[in-house]
Amino acid sequence: MSNHVQHKTQEELAALFRADITTGVGRSVKHESADKHVSGEAVYVDDRLEFPNQLHVYARMSDRAHARIVRIDTAPCYQFPGVAIAITAEDVPGQLDIGPVVAGDPLLADGKVEYVGQVVLAVGADSLETARKAAMAAIVEYEDLEPVLDVVEAYRKKHFVLDSHQHKIGDSAAELATAPHRLQGSLHIGGQEHFYLETQISSVMPSEDGGMLVYTSTQNPTEVQKLVAEVLGVPMHKIVIDMRRMGGGFGGKETQAAGPACLCAVIAHLTGRPTKMRLPRMEDMTITGKRHPFYVEYDVGFDDNGLLHGIQIDLAGNCGYSPDLSGSIVDRAMFHSDNAYFLGNATINGHRCKTNIASNTAYRGFGGPQGMVAIEEIMDVIARHLGKDPLEVRKLNYYGKDERNVTHYHQTVEHNVIHEMTAELEASAEYSKRRAEIRAFNANSPVLKKGLALTPVKFGISFTATFLNQAGALIHIYTDGSIHLNHGGTEMGQGLNTKVAQVVAQVFNVDIERIQITATNTDKVPNTSPTAASSGADLNGMAAKNAAEIIKQRLVDFLVREYKVTAEDVEFRNSQVRVRGQFLSFEEVIQKAYFGQVSLSTTGFYRTPKIYYDREKAAGRPFYYYAYGVACVEVIVDTLTGEYKMLRGDILHDVGDSLNPAIDIGQVEGAFVQGMGWLTTEELVWSAKGKLLTNGPASYKIPAIADMPIDLRVKLVENRKNPEDTVFHSKAVGEPPFMLGIAPWCAIKDAVASLADYRAQPQIDAPATPERVLWGVEQMRKLQQSTKAVAVTEVEPA
Ligand code: MTE
Ligand code: QUE
Ligand code: MOS
């Protein structure tokens, strides 16, 4: 078995050893699946070879927002040849509820429906089309109940899915009463459809002893495993989840991939046949939750310079019909209602409003973007009120470095780099010069108006549910020196597998080609946290590093024994190993270690240090560190139609010491555009009866290539390693740059404000669709005729 090791001469090995290092972290290694993505060969769940005798599952959705179910008759379903089964809530063998944190999400409607789209029954048939026809033939009779569809109504009536929560520092009421200026206002922030290219999908194969093998597109394999076990009423060890890659997740597959998986499992259990459920786009958009829309009320006191004295913000998240992850999502909105600003005396209230729409869920930023939009609106409102450049007010209110650096949840902001980053971008984007040019342009252009905005991002990294900050990994080295790598994270396009492989390549100092990335599988690494909160690489990278270091230490110890040298004599480099004066290839070392009876397989583990949060006291250190970014965007607005075009975007983003600059730049660009889409063209519209009308790409407009800024310049901060002991001193990148997309929204309002000589902030709720921009234009034109302020109320000082 030793024959496959190619024997090189000592000179050859030494030359390889001494060559420039070409592997490991910090390099723009291409995405592990890049070639397959481009050629279309990457296998998603729906591309797998299908199991023989498979059933396709289709869900019949409620067409009522709130109703009691009077009768369900599935007999008509069976008239269609090929139908195997039609199930309702009564057919679920185990637990019906699949709520991720607290109960509230029945797998199938249980006597009542609470939104249009709620799954009432499901049919398994030998084709999707037959399953659909049969499901639509079932008889479902309802008795309508009054729905609550308006978040403000739910907020006023305290119609909540979970209790409200408060963050408090200082005395905002006293400061508000005495501040030189005080303004009150409100803002609606829209939701957002995930629009992952691959819709929710699962494929389930019954296995021995009542077990199930589940292929599913999920960010959270362990939770799907737990919920499939619960709906079947079997222990978790009977269920195996396999997840190779998602065609995008963006938070939408953190909890809501479980429904199709559980429906498939129940039908597989009842029929003994393999099952597959793939949601058509319209069904996916109707059944699953989205980013939470928010309604925000604020009361802010400040001085003549625009410095905050006191602030109260009430954040009312529109959670839809059930809690899902809304507890943590509204928390994160509260945690980010400071963005990069020292609030001083602040009271932040978070409310979780219950409405009769789909249950809103995780979406890139996890509530953080909504909190940050609120404070950015407030910065603009203050600037307009005082006739100042919004950037001046923003910079004035930035957290200080050694003072004015305690947040409203009592965490001290350390290693703040927002000042330097803002200064760098202000210079490279020529902010002042372009500000002057834009004012001159606008003065001479009656219809087309330009706007400019520079906005910061400070985003807390770590799950605020502290226990989730843990990860595991598994490494085997086979006798030919090839490495099998597995970890608890999931690949959704963000490049996590590539980064984790780079980490392992770095530890062993071997070529990345030697490392085989494998599907996330609950058999290999158990009890995983969702791949979320941007922490995939931080947590799983560290767990894999731990595993690799354990094996490497065993190899070093072995070589020390075998060659009677010291550990300092052993060096791994370029897939070779030097043992004092002698050179061995990595595979030779592995072979020798195998024959020396050294274990070449191990698990690794990581938990984030330093963090804690006391929810009772609303204080602690929920975040290990913060990631920062700044964006400067210029827009041109047609004030006759409300249409706009982003002319230029300059971005500077902080990823610490990047694990992979190419992937990180891709994340920054993609997140920025996704954030911009949220706040500009992506509008969710429901009918008066609660039916989602924007249920496909024809009516829901995500950004396309032509919506990109004409000139987009993205840079990563250089030579600024994460001061905390993160994986090779990198910083998380997945979510933070999403909030760079606030700059285009502010730039649009800047352009509109020019119509009233920047004396007032137009009330343009998010998303700033062309219609809303036109309303803003109208407000400014009216203001030109009277001096009365627009939507913001000025309160006289006491
Ligand atoms: N990038 C791509 N291409 N596809 C995705 O679905 N999800 C985002 C972000 N970037 C996503 C993405 C979200 S919501 C999160 S939390 C992070 O990736 C998760 O991955 P990470 O923790 O490994 O960065
Ligand atoms: C950011 C996140 C998540 C979060 C907190 C964050 C997240 C998530 C949870 C969560 C909380 C409690 C649970 C649970 C999950 O919290 O994605 O299972 O019991 O799932 O700050 O992204
Ligand atoms: Mo991302 S919203 O934490 O999946």
Side-chain angles (χ1 to χ4, degrees), residues 100-101 223 254 325 328 332 366 462-465 467-468 530 532-533 735:
V101 183
E223 187 163 272
E254 200 176 322
L325 296 172
S328 294
R332 192 169 268 274
F366 205 76
S462 297
F463 288 96
T464 54
F467 70 93
L468 290 171
E735 293 166 291

Side-chain angles (χ1 to χ4, degrees), residues 488-773:
T490 56
E491 177 63 43
M492 56 194 101
Q494 85 279 39
L496 175 62
N497 284 347
T498 311
K499 287 183 173 180
V500 177
Q502 283 180 274
V503 167
V504 173
Q506 174 83 26
V507 173
F508 291 118
N509 221 308
V510 297
D511 300 331
I512 199 155
E513 287 73 33
R514 187 184 292 267
I515 301 168
Q516 181 66 45
I517 290 271
T518 54
T520 312
N521 188 300
T522 54
D523 265 5
K524 291 187 185 171
V525 176
N527 309 330
T528 55
S529 293
T531 306
S534 304
S535 64
D538 280 22
L539 298 176
N540 297 285
M542 276 301 220
K545 181 165 177 274
N546 175 238
E549 282 170 348
I550 290 169
I551 298 182
K552 187 177 179 186
Q553 190 60 51
R554 289 183 196 154
L555 295 174
V556 171
D557 292 346
F558 166 74
L559 292 170
V560 165
R561 280 198 308 275
E562 202 68 3
Y563 287 82
K564 307 205 165 36
V565 295
T566 65
E568 290 71 46
D569 293 326
V570 180
E571 190 185 352
F572 287 64
R573 194 182 151 105
N574 282 337
S575 300
Q576 321 299 321
V577 183
R578 182 179 60 77
V579 184
R580 196 168 282 161
Q582 193 175 341
F583 295 93
L584 301 152
S585 67
F586 182 76
E587 45 270 46
E588 272 180 271
V589 169
I590 294 300
Q591 273 210 348
K592 284 184 195 293
Y594 168 73
F595 285 116
Q597 295 163 295
V598 174
S599 166
L600 296 170
S601 170
T602 188
T603 59
F605 186 77
Y606 177 73
R607 65 188 288 264
T608 309
K610 295 190 182 179
I611 51 176
Y612 65 96
Y613 183 63
D614 183 340
R615 205 159 187 281
E616 292 292 306
K617 294 197 182 116
R621 177 184 180 159
F623 304 120
Y624 189 25
Y625 63 90
Y626 297 97
Y628 297 88
V630 270
C632 178
V633 171
E634 180 177 341
V635 68
I636 187 159
V637 175
D638 181 334
T639 58
L640 290 180
T641 65
E643 289 165 295
Y644 42 77
K645 172 84 207 156
M646 302 304 151
L647 297 175
R648 178 168 161 188
D650 291 74
I651 289 170
L652 181 61
H653 196 80
D654 158 38
V655 294
D657 260 354
S658 175
L659 290 173
N660 185 320
I663 284 176
D664 286 350
I665 285 179
Q667 285 291 298
V668 173
E669 289 177 348
F672 165 75
V673 173
Q674 196 170 39
M676 182 182 80
W678 169 47
L679 294 172
T680 56
T681 62
E682 293 184 42
E683 186 176 29
L684 294 164
V685 180
W686 288 267
S687 76
K689 292 192 161 169
K691 179 181 188 294
L692 181 69
L693 300 174
T694 47
N695 59 9
S699 49
Y700 185 78
K701 198 189 171 316
I702 61 171
I705 189 70
D707 299 305
M708 295 280 286
I710 293 169
D711 180 359
L712 181 62
R713 311 178 189 193
V714 177
K715 255 190 77 181
L716 302 176
V717 175
E718 279 165 11
N719 303 319
R720 198 71 75 42
K721 54 164 69 176
N722 189 340
E724 296 295 346
D725 189 16
T726 52
V727 61
F728 296 100
H729 296 280
S730 62
K731 283 192 180 183
V733 69
E735 293 166 291
F738 181 89
M739 286 141 280
L740 299 170
I742 296 173
W745 181 66
C746 291
I748 289 172
K749 290 183 294 170
D750 184 65
V752 175
S754 74
L755 289 165
D757 205 21
Y758 303 100
R759 282 181 302 125
Q761 172 81 340
Q763 176 83 25
I764 301 179
D765 287 338
T769 56
E771 289 89 333
R772 287 211 182 83
V773 171

Side-chain angles (χ1 to χ4, degrees), residues 226-259:
K226 174 169 167 283
L227 293 171
V228 166
E230 284 177 359
V231 296
L232 297 181
V234 301
M236 282 172 82
H237 69 218
K238 298 259 190 235
I239 310 300
V240 177
I241 311 294
D242 181 285
M243 206 313 292
R244 173 59 186 89
R245 59 168 69 76
M246 281 164 271
F250 306 112
K253 293 172 180 170
E254 200 176 322
T255 60
Q256 304 208 2

Side-chain angles (χ1 to χ4, degrees), residues 298-446:
Y298 60 84
D299 189 347
V300 61
F302 50 95
D303 67 15
D304 293 341
N305 297 321
L307 190 72
L308 294 173
H309 280 204
I311 191 165
Q312 175 169 335
I313 306 176
D314 282 89
L315 300 161
N318 184 344
C319 302
Y321 88 101
S322 80
D324 186 86
L325 296 172
S326 297
S328 294
I329 289 167
V330 174
D331 275 358
R332 192 169 268 274
M334 297 167 69
F335 283 123
H336 287 82
S337 58
D338 59 346
N339 192 7
Y341 311 111
F342 177 64
L343 299 183
N345 297 276
T347 305
I348 310 295
N349 296 310
H351 310 284
R352 289 136 184 105
C353 300
K354 172 163 177 158
T355 58
N356 291 102
I357 60 173
S359 190
N360 288 321
T361 192
Y363 195 142
R364 208 169 196 170
F366 205 76
Q370 293 93 320
M372 282 161 61
V373 160
I375 192 70
E376 292 305 336
E377 168 76 1
I378 292 166
M379 288 295 141
D380 277 351
V381 163
I382 293 172
R384 299 305 174 211
H385 185 78
L386 299 173
K388 291 187 179 294
D389 186 324
L391 180 58
E392 196 185 315
V393 175
R394 289 191 160 95
K395 289 196 290 186
L396 182 70
N397 283 292
Y398 275 170
Y399 277 109
K401 291 221 160 195
D402 304 308
E403 36 148 40
R404 295 168 34 85
N405 61 355
V406 179
T407 65
H408 52 293
Y409 46 92
H410 303 268
Q411 172 162 356
T412 300
V413 179
E414 298 169 323
H415 316 297
N416 184 355
V417 290
I418 201 66
H419 303 265
E420 295 93 309
M421 287 179 63
T422 303
E424 186 178 334
L425 193 75
E426 225 187 310
S428 68
E430 301 183 297
Y431 182 88
S432 315
K433 179 170 155 251
R434 285 163 65 206
R435 171 59 75 199
E437 284 168 4
I438 286 169
R439 276 187 176 261
F441 174 90
N442 288 344
N444 295 312
S445 173

Side-chain angles (χ1 to χ4, degrees), residues 63-172:
D63 56 10
R64 310 300 166 96
H66 192 196
R68 202 167 67 76
I69 299 175
V70 182
R71 181 163 87 103
I72 304 184
D73 184 358
T74 56
C77 305
Y78 292 94
Q79 291 167 0
F80 295 82
V83 170
I85 196 167
I87 61 164
T88 66
E90 286 165 14
D91 301 304
V92 175
Q95 183 180 304
L96 183 64
D97 204 282
I98 59 165
V101 183
V102 292
D105 297 273
L107 177 60
L108 290 150
D110 191 16
K112 63 176 176 182
V113 289
E114 295 194 89
Y115 74 98
V116 175
Q118 184 165 357
V119 176
V120 175
L121 60 94
V123 172
D126 57 14
S127 79
L128 181 58
E129 191 47 24
T130 304
R132 191 186 66 80
K133 282 185 186 146
M136 297 318 287
I139 297 163
V140 185
E141 288 174 12
Y142 301 100
E143 185 184 293
D144 279 317
L145 299 167
E146 204 54 48
V148 175
L149 296 167
D150 178 26
V151 63
V152 179
E153 180 190 342
Y155 175 44
R156 301 273 181 254
K157 289 181 175 161
K158 297 194 174 4
H159 191 51
F160 296 146
V161 290
L162 293 167
D163 291 342
S164 297
H165 187 51
Q166 185 173 79
H167 291 164
K168 195 168 174 9
I169 193 160
D171 185 348
S172 59

